[in-house]
Amino acid sequence: MPEPQAPDDTREALAAIASLLAPAHPDVAEQVLLAHDRPHDYVSAFGDRLADRGVDEPVDNLAWIALVDGLDAHGLLAEFDWKEDAQEIRSQLRKLRSRPSVDPWVLLGDAEMLLPTEKFLHACGRRYREIGAALAVLDIESDCYPVVGLRAARTEELTALAARAGFPLRHLGAGRPGQ
């Protein structure tokens, strides 16, 4: 469990993360801050969306879930099941609005397409890094992988903001699977 943060620091970090990952969509930051500031109002407003996650009342990571859902609504996040097929992962990552302009898929070998989900996601992350992009998992403590794309040069900033907000983030391809 992440260490508790000061409310203002958490709030500022959450707003900065939303702005970093969805710069053209201020509604993402608004939803995240609503979830942080007035969780009951957020649950009321987005109950249908939350029902798909089995959430019907405020939870500790509600603002993080709001971030994931807001990014997903704008095509800035792809969410994968723990046993997702490599072709489906590849298809969903190609649809991300935050995908790199250079296609990293030409770098993937046939053997990598046979890897289990987590290892395949790390292989994708390594390929993205080779072209100056990055993939990160916004961990919502579930059996899924909510994945965002961003420029590799912004990964340290995202990591620092996630730590300030007190929510888990993992970069794909930055180390061994599971790191």
Side-chain angles (χ1 to χ4, degrees):
M1 185 69 155
E3 292 200 22
Q5 305 295 314
D8 287 341
D9 195 39
T10 299
R11 188 177 197 285
E12 290 170 12
L14 287 166
I17 292 167
S19 294
L20 171 67
L21 296 176
H25 303 285
D27 61 305
V28 174
E30 291 167 10
Q31 291 170 21
V32 169
L33 294 178
L34 177 63
H36 178 267
D37 297 340
R38 297 189 330 267
H40 289 284
D41 291 348
Y42 181 83
V43 170
S44 236
F46 295 95
D48 291 343
R49 180 192 284 179
L50 292 169
D52 292 339
R53 298 190 181 283
V55 176
D56 58 2
E57 62 185 39
V59 293
D60 288 342
N61 64 343
L62 187 62
W64 205 238
I65 291 171
L67 175 66
V68 166
D69 286 344
L71 293 170
D72 184 46
H74 290 291
L76 297 167
L77 177 135
E79 195 164 347
F80 304 110
D81 185 72
W82 67 275
K83 56 183 178 179
E84 197 76 59
D85 175 76
Q87 289 293 357
E88 180 61 22
I89 292 170
R90 190 173 173 171
S91 172
Q92 292 297 322
L93 289 177
R94 278 188 162 152
K95 292 177 186 176
L96 286 179
R97 290 188 174 160
S98 56
R99 72 186 175 279
S101 56
V102 175
D103 187 2
W105 302 112
V106 298
L107 302 172
L108 281 173
D110 290 338
E112 287 173 311
M113 294 299 292
L114 301 174
L115 293 171
T117 303
E118 185 173 7
K119 289 182 180 183
F120 181 72
L121 285 169
H122 277 280
C124 292
R126 284 189 298 278
R127 299 305 182 217
Y128 269 60
R129 286 188 173 280
E130 290 174 11
I131 60 168
L135 293 173
V137 176
L138 305 179
D139 191 348
I140 57 172
E141 300 173 6
S142 180
D143 64 350
C144 65
Y145 298 93
V147 176
V148 295
L150 67 154
R151 290 189 339 233
R154 306 289 306 264
T155 58
E156 287 184 26
E157 178 183 2
L158 179 59
T159 301
L161 288 169
R164 274 183 49 207
F167 290 103
L169 170 87
R170 288 184 294 136
H171 292 285
L172 295 168
R176 295 185 318 273
Q179 288 185 315

